[in-house]
Tab-separated table of all heavy atoms in Angstrom:
chain	number	residue	atom	x	y	z
C	1248	ASP	N	61.734	118.116	-3.727
C	1248	ASP	CA	62.469	116.885	-4.111
C	1248	ASP	C	63.743	117.378	-4.788
C	1248	ASP	O	63.736	117.759	-5.934
C	1248	ASP	CB	61.611	116.017	-5.054
C	1248	ASP	CG	62.338	114.731	-5.448
C	1248	ASP	OD1	63.522	114.548	-5.086
C	1248	ASP	OD2	61.710	113.948	-6.151
C	1249	TYR	N	64.828	117.321	-4.067
C	1249	TYR	CA	66.039	117.912	-4.563
C	1249	TYR	C	66.739	117.115	-5.708
C	1249	TYR	O	67.627	117.556	-6.417
C	1249	TYR	CB	67.092	118.105	-3.422
C	1249	TYR	CG	66.727	119.208	-2.560
C	1249	TYR	CD1	66.018	119.007	-1.366
C	1249	TYR	CD2	67.097	120.497	-2.912
C	1249	TYR	CE1	65.640	120.121	-0.561
C	1249	TYR	CE2	66.752	121.601	-2.081
C	1249	TYR	CZ	66.063	121.356	-0.943
C	1249	TYR	OH	65.693	122.447	-0.144
C	1250	ARG	N	66.189	115.900	-5.965
C	1250	ARG	CA	66.654	115.125	-7.158
C	1250	ARG	C	66.352	115.885	-8.401
C	1250	ARG	O	66.929	115.711	-9.494
C	1250	ARG	CB	65.978	113.722	-7.177
C	1250	ARG	CG	66.353	112.862	-5.959
C	1250	ARG	CD	65.524	111.603	-5.992
C	1250	ARG	NE	64.101	111.872	-5.933
C	1250	ARG	CZ	63.202	110.888	-5.954
C	1250	ARG	NH1	63.541	109.636	-6.110
C	1250	ARG	NH2	61.883	111.190	-5.918
C	1251	GLY	N	65.256	116.727	-8.375
C	1251	GLY	CA	64.828	117.391	-9.559
C	1251	GLY	C	65.783	118.477	-10.108
C	1251	GLY	O	65.752	118.755	-11.299
C	1252	LEU	N	66.611	119.073	-9.283
C	1252	LEU	CA	67.532	120.089	-9.675
C	1252	LEU	C	68.597	119.563	-10.665
C	1252	LEU	O	68.660	120.084	-11.766
C	1252	LEU	CB	68.190	120.804	-8.489
C	1252	LEU	CG	67.370	121.948	-7.862
C	1252	LEU	CD1	66.042	121.509	-7.259
C	1252	LEU	CD2	68.209	122.671	-6.788
C	1253	PRO	N	69.292	118.508	-10.281
C	1253	PRO	CA	70.298	118.008	-11.279
C	1253	PRO	C	69.578	117.392	-12.486
C	1253	PRO	O	70.118	117.400	-13.612
C	1253	PRO	CB	71.082	116.938	-10.462
C	1253	PRO	CG	70.251	116.616	-9.264
C	1253	PRO	CD	69.505	117.853	-8.976
C	1254	GLU	N	68.371	116.833	-12.268
C	1254	GLU	CA	67.668	116.270	-13.423
C	1254	GLU	C	67.348	117.389	-14.462
C	1254	GLU	O	67.520	117.214	-15.652
C	1254	GLU	CB	66.413	115.591	-13.003
C	1254	GLU	CG	65.653	114.960	-14.185
C	1254	GLU	CD	64.445	114.083	-13.738
C	1254	GLU	OE1	64.206	114.044	-12.503
C	1254	GLU	OE2	63.786	113.536	-14.644
C	1255	MET	N	66.860	118.512	-14.022
C	1255	MET	CA	66.526	119.628	-14.908
C	1255	MET	C	67.808	120.241	-15.482
C	1255	MET	O	67.780	120.768	-16.639
C	1255	MET	CB	65.718	120.665	-14.179
C	1255	MET	CG	64.271	120.195	-13.903
C	1255	MET	SD	63.114	121.524	-13.391
C	1255	MET	CE	63.740	121.878	-11.734
C	1256	GLN	N	68.916	120.112	-14.824
C	1256	GLN	CA	70.200	120.675	-15.372
C	1256	GLN	C	70.592	119.884	-16.596
C	1256	GLN	O	71.322	120.397	-17.498
C	1256	GLN	CB	71.253	120.671	-14.305
C	1256	GLN	CG	71.133	121.802	-13.305
C	1256	GLN	CD	72.132	121.698	-12.179
C	1256	GLN	OE1	72.499	120.603	-11.711
C	1256	GLN	NE2	72.570	122.843	-11.631
C	1257	THR	N	70.172	118.629	-16.736
C	1257	THR	CA	70.556	117.810	-17.879
C	1257	THR	C	69.873	118.395	-19.186
C	1257	THR	O	70.296	117.961	-20.236
C	1257	THR	CB	70.114	116.357	-17.691
C	1257	THR	OG1	68.685	116.236	-17.685
C	1257	THR	CG2	70.714	115.727	-16.471
C	1258	PHE	N	68.937	119.324	-19.057
C	1258	PHE	CA	68.322	119.874	-20.240
C	1258	PHE	C	69.199	121.054	-20.788
C	1258	PHE	O	68.871	121.637	-21.781
C	1258	PHE	CB	66.964	120.471	-19.867
C	1258	PHE	CG	66.030	119.418	-19.261
C	1258	PHE	CD1	65.043	119.883	-18.385
C	1258	PHE	CD2	66.111	118.135	-19.554
C	1258	PHE	CE1	64.226	119.004	-17.747
C	1258	PHE	CE2	65.256	117.192	-18.905
C	1258	PHE	CZ	64.313	117.632	-18.051
C	1259	GLY	N	70.347	121.295	-20.090
C	1259	GLY	CA	71.263	122.314	-20.579
C	1259	GLY	C	70.926	123.765	-20.280
C	1259	GLY	O	71.356	124.673	-20.939
C	1260	VAL	N	70.124	123.957	-19.208
C	1260	VAL	CA	69.710	125.279	-18.816
C	1260	VAL	C	70.039	125.483	-17.330
C	1260	VAL	O	70.190	124.583	-16.589
C	1260	VAL	CB	68.138	125.536	-19.044
C	1260	VAL	CG1	67.798	125.328	-20.481
C	1260	VAL	CG2	67.374	124.608	-18.119
C	1261	PRO	N	70.239	126.784	-16.918
C	1261	PRO	CA	70.427	127.044	-15.501
C	1261	PRO	C	69.218	126.674	-14.701
C	1261	PRO	O	68.066	126.865	-15.218
C	1261	PRO	CB	70.683	128.548	-15.463
C	1261	PRO	CG	71.010	128.984	-16.872
C	1261	PRO	CD	70.312	128.028	-17.758
C	1262	VAL	N	69.408	126.156	-13.529
C	1262	VAL	CA	68.287	125.686	-12.677
C	1262	VAL	C	68.387	126.432	-11.321
C	1262	VAL	O	69.436	126.518	-10.713
C	1262	VAL	CB	68.310	124.170	-12.481
C	1262	VAL	CG1	67.276	123.784	-11.445
C	1262	VAL	CG2	68.090	123.475	-13.796
C	1263	VAL	N	67.230	126.977	-10.968
C	1263	VAL	CA	67.107	127.849	-9.804
C	1263	VAL	C	66.196	127.164	-8.745
C	1263	VAL	O	65.228	126.488	-9.090
C	1263	VAL	CB	66.503	129.192	-10.189
C	1263	VAL	CG1	66.206	130.075	-8.963
C	1263	VAL	CG2	67.453	129.954	-11.137
C	1264	MET	N	66.505	127.387	-7.440
C	1264	MET	CA	65.595	126.959	-6.389
C	1264	MET	C	64.904	128.159	-5.832
C	1264	MET	O	65.522	129.138	-5.379
C	1264	MET	CB	66.426	126.278	-5.275
C	1264	MET	CG	65.544	125.694	-4.133
C	1264	MET	SD	64.639	124.245	-4.677
C	1264	MET	CE	62.945	124.712	-4.319
C	1265	ASP	N	63.576	128.129	-5.856
C	1265	ASP	CA	62.745	129.192	-5.246
C	1265	ASP	C	62.606	128.808	-3.780
C	1265	ASP	O	61.869	127.951	-3.402
C	1265	ASP	CB	61.379	129.244	-5.965
C	1265	ASP	CG	60.503	130.302	-5.392
C	1265	ASP	OD1	60.759	130.829	-4.271
C	1265	ASP	OD2	59.578	130.752	-6.126
C	1266	CYS	N	63.384	129.564	-2.969
C	1266	CYS	CA	63.487	129.263	-1.496
C	1266	CYS	C	62.311	129.769	-0.657
C	1266	CYS	O	62.196	129.397	0.499
C	1266	CYS	CB	64.765	129.838	-0.964
C	1266	CYS	SG	66.250	129.248	-1.841
C	1267	THR	N	61.450	130.611	-1.275
C	1267	THR	CA	60.341	131.143	-0.506
C	1267	THR	C	59.020	130.546	-0.922
C	1267	THR	O	58.246	130.135	-0.059
C	1267	THR	CB	60.331	132.716	-0.647
C	1267	THR	OG1	60.518	133.095	-1.984
C	1267	THR	CG2	61.454	133.300	0.172
C	1268	HIS	N	58.749	130.484	-2.208
C	1268	HIS	CA	57.431	129.908	-2.616
C	1268	HIS	C	57.371	128.395	-2.308
C	1268	HIS	O	56.300	127.852	-2.163
C	1268	HIS	CB	57.178	130.144	-4.110
C	1268	HIS	CG	56.868	131.574	-4.429
C	1268	HIS	ND1	57.815	132.448	-4.895
C	1268	HIS	CD2	55.699	132.265	-4.290
C	1268	HIS	CE1	57.216	133.686	-5.023
C	1268	HIS	NE2	55.936	133.594	-4.686
C	1269	SER	N	58.471	127.746	-2.241
C	1269	SER	CA	58.508	126.315	-1.913
C	1269	SER	C	58.110	126.069	-0.495
C	1269	SER	O	57.848	124.926	-0.104
C	1269	SER	CB	59.877	125.714	-2.192
C	1269	SER	OG	60.906	126.335	-1.400
C	1270	LEU	N	58.006	127.111	0.314
C	1270	LEU	CA	57.605	127.005	1.710
C	1270	LEU	C	56.150	127.538	1.925
C	1270	LEU	O	55.752	127.695	3.056
C	1270	LEU	CB	58.556	127.754	2.617
C	1270	LEU	CG	59.935	127.139	2.740
C	1270	LEU	CD1	60.952	128.105	3.331
C	1270	LEU	CD2	59.887	125.883	3.518
C	1271	GLN	N	55.449	127.791	0.822
C	1271	GLN	CA	54.074	128.198	0.968
C	1271	GLN	C	53.219	127.080	1.548
C	1271	GLN	O	53.511	125.920	1.366
C	1271	GLN	CB	53.484	128.603	-0.371
C	1271	GLN	CG	53.985	130.002	-0.856
C	1271	GLN	CD	53.276	130.348	-2.242
C	1271	GLN	OE1	52.860	129.490	-2.951
C	1271	GLN	NE2	53.074	131.642	-2.397
C	1272	GLN	N	52.122	127.520	2.219
C	1272	GLN	CA	51.103	126.629	2.659
C	1272	GLN	C	49.787	127.091	2.024
C	1272	GLN	O	49.059	127.942	2.570
C	1272	GLN	CB	50.996	126.613	4.199
C	1272	GLN	CG	52.255	125.998	4.857
C	1272	GLN	CD	52.157	126.054	6.385
C	1272	GLN	OE1	51.942	127.154	6.963
C	1272	GLN	NE2	52.292	124.899	7.006
C	1273	PRO	N	49.495	126.602	0.818
C	1273	PRO	CA	48.370	127.145	0.079
C	1273	PRO	C	46.972	126.633	0.577
C	1273	PRO	O	46.916	125.766	1.446
C	1273	PRO	CB	48.660	126.642	-1.332
C	1273	PRO	CG	49.380	125.325	-1.115
C	1273	PRO	CD	50.231	125.587	0.112
C	1274	ASN	N	45.959	127.223	0.001
C	1274	ASN	CA	44.573	126.761	0.191
C	1274	ASN	C	44.139	126.804	1.668
C	1274	ASN	O	43.385	125.972	2.143
C	1274	ASN	CB	44.406	125.337	-0.316
C	1274	ASN	CG	44.835	125.142	-1.776
C	1274	ASN	OD1	44.463	126.001	-2.569
C	1274	ASN	ND2	45.590	124.133	-2.069
C	1275	GLN	N	44.586	127.865	2.344
C	1275	GLN	CA	44.119	128.005	3.722
C	1275	GLN	C	42.680	128.445	3.771
C	1275	GLN	O	42.204	129.101	2.873
C	1275	GLN	CB	45.007	129.073	4.418
C	1275	GLN	CG	46.484	128.673	4.552
C	1275	GLN	CD	46.739	127.414	5.333
C	1275	GLN	OE1	46.286	127.323	6.468
C	1275	GLN	NE2	47.425	126.412	4.730
C	1276	SER	N	41.950	128.083	4.776
C	1276	SER	CA	40.559	128.418	4.917
C	1276	SER	C	40.330	129.916	5.003
C	1276	SER	O	39.237	130.430	4.705
C	1276	SER	CB	39.975	127.744	6.122
C	1276	SER	OG	40.588	128.134	7.330
C	1277	SER	N	41.360	130.713	5.415
C	1277	SER	CA	41.234	132.120	5.522
C	1277	SER	C	41.264	132.801	4.120
C	1277	SER	O	40.931	134.021	4.005
C	1277	SER	CB	42.356	132.686	6.324
C	1277	SER	OG	43.669	132.454	5.665
C	1278	GLY	N	41.706	132.062	3.115
C	1278	GLY	CA	41.835	132.660	1.797
C	1278	GLY	C	43.171	133.375	1.610
C	1278	GLY	O	43.382	134.008	0.573
C	1279	VAL	N	44.033	133.304	2.615
C	1279	VAL	CA	45.389	133.903	2.524
C	1279	VAL	C	46.395	132.774	2.660
C	1279	VAL	O	46.405	132.022	3.692
C	1279	VAL	CB	45.598	134.916	3.656
C	1279	VAL	CG1	47.002	135.512	3.564
C	1279	VAL	CG2	44.554	136.033	3.508
C	1280	THR	N	47.316	132.651	1.678
C	1280	THR	CA	48.372	131.645	1.758
C	1280	THR	C	49.292	131.807	2.900
C	1280	THR	O	49.730	132.829	3.198
C	1280	THR	CB	49.106	131.637	0.404
C	1280	THR	OG1	48.240	131.384	-0.688
C	1280	THR	CG2	50.247	130.593	0.382
C	1281	GLY	N	49.557	130.710	3.564
C	1281	GLY	CA	50.457	130.685	4.710
C	1281	GLY	C	51.883	130.305	4.239
C	1281	GLY	O	52.191	130.191	3.071
C	1282	GLY	N	52.809	130.176	5.188
C	1282	GLY	CA	54.140	129.866	4.870
C	1282	GLY	C	55.023	129.544	6.036
C	1282	GLY	O	54.576	129.681	7.216
C	1283	LYS	N	56.265	129.081	5.820
C	1283	LYS	CA	57.202	128.736	6.859
C	1283	LYS	C	58.513	129.408	6.603
C	1283	LYS	O	59.518	128.766	6.263
C	1283	LYS	CB	57.398	127.205	6.914
C	1283	LYS	CG	56.173	126.429	7.319
C	1283	LYS	CD	56.456	124.949	7.407
C	1283	LYS	CE	55.244	124.152	7.838
C	1283	LYS	NZ	55.507	122.724	7.889
C	1284	PRO	N	58.590	130.732	6.740
C	1284	PRO	CA	59.834	131.446	6.352
C	1284	PRO	C	61.020	131.101	7.220
C	1284	PRO	O	62.160	131.327	6.828
C	1284	PRO	CB	59.401	132.903	6.577
C	1284	PRO	CG	58.270	132.874	7.544
C	1284	PRO	CD	57.497	131.627	7.198
C	1285	GLU	N	60.801	130.504	8.384
C	1285	GLU	CA	61.885	130.114	9.239
C	1285	GLU	C	62.735	129.001	8.619
C	1285	GLU	O	63.876	128.693	9.029
C	1285	GLU	CB	61.371	129.645	10.629
C	1285	GLU	CG	60.544	128.313	10.634
C	1285	GLU	CD	59.109	128.517	10.336
C	1285	GLU	OE1	58.706	129.704	9.917
C	1285	GLU	OE2	58.328	127.598	10.506
C	1286	LEU	N	62.230	128.396	7.500
C	1286	LEU	CA	62.953	127.255	6.878
C	1286	LEU	C	63.573	127.749	5.571
C	1286	LEU	O	64.135	126.908	4.774
C	1286	LEU	CB	62.015	126.157	6.582
C	1286	LEU	CG	61.481	125.388	7.825
C	1286	LEU	CD1	60.468	124.319	7.402
C	1286	LEU	CD2	62.600	124.774	8.637
C	1287	ILE	N	63.559	129.045	5.238
C	1287	ILE	CA	64.190	129.537	4.018
C	1287	ILE	C	65.646	129.161	3.954
C	1287	ILE	O	66.141	128.702	2.871
C	1287	ILE	CB	63.997	131.059	3.877
C	1287	ILE	CG1	62.540	131.399	3.657
C	1287	ILE	CG2	64.861	131.600	2.744
C	1287	ILE	CD1	62.202	132.883	3.780
C	1288	ALA	N	66.363	129.359	5.052
C	1288	ALA	CA	67.826	128.980	5.024
C	1288	ALA	C	68.039	127.522	4.780
C	1288	ALA	O	68.973	127.129	4.116
C	1288	ALA	CB	68.425	129.406	6.342
C	1289	THR	N	67.185	126.708	5.328
C	1289	THR	CA	67.295	125.203	5.116
C	1289	THR	C	67.120	124.905	3.650
C	1289	THR	O	67.971	124.118	3.073
C	1289	THR	CB	66.229	124.490	5.884
C	1289	THR	OG1	66.395	124.805	7.319
C	1289	THR	CG2	66.283	122.971	5.729
C	1290	ILE	N	66.122	125.448	2.965
C	1290	ILE	CA	65.870	125.171	1.588
C	1290	ILE	C	67.024	125.660	0.764
C	1290	ILE	O	67.561	125.008	-0.191
C	1290	ILE	CB	64.579	125.873	1.107
C	1290	ILE	CG1	63.359	125.305	1.833
C	1290	ILE	CG2	64.411	125.751	-0.378
C	1290	ILE	CD1	62.998	123.882	1.506
C	1291	ALA	N	67.497	126.874	1.061
C	1291	ALA	CA	68.600	127.497	0.271
C	1291	ALA	C	69.921	126.699	0.411
C	1291	ALA	O	70.607	126.457	-0.564
C	1291	ALA	CB	68.830	128.896	0.745
C	1292	LYS	N	70.218	126.298	1.652
C	1292	LYS	CA	71.494	125.563	1.884
C	1292	LYS	C	71.471	124.220	1.155
C	1292	LYS	O	72.439	123.799	0.574
C	1292	LYS	CB	71.728	125.410	3.351
C	1292	LYS	CG	72.075	126.684	4.078
C	1292	LYS	CD	72.160	126.507	5.567
C	1292	LYS	CE	72.476	127.827	6.282
C	1292	LYS	NZ	72.454	127.695	7.764
Side-chain angles (χ1 to χ4, degrees):
D1248 182 354
Y1249 286 96
R1250 298 174 299 178
L1252 274 63
E1254 183 173 1
M1255 289 191 290
Q1256 284 173 328
T1257 66
F1258 307 148
V1260 301
V1262 174
V1263 173
M1264 184 71 237
D1265 183 338
C1266 304
T1267 45
H1268 288 99
S1269 59
L1270 291 167
Q1271 282 185 331
Q1272 294 178 305
N1274 305 316
Q1275 298 297 307
S1276 59
S1277 64
V1279 178
T1280 298
K1283 295 182 178 179
E1285 67 275 10
L1286 294 176
I1287 292 171
T1289 300
I1290 297 293
K1292 290 174 182 176

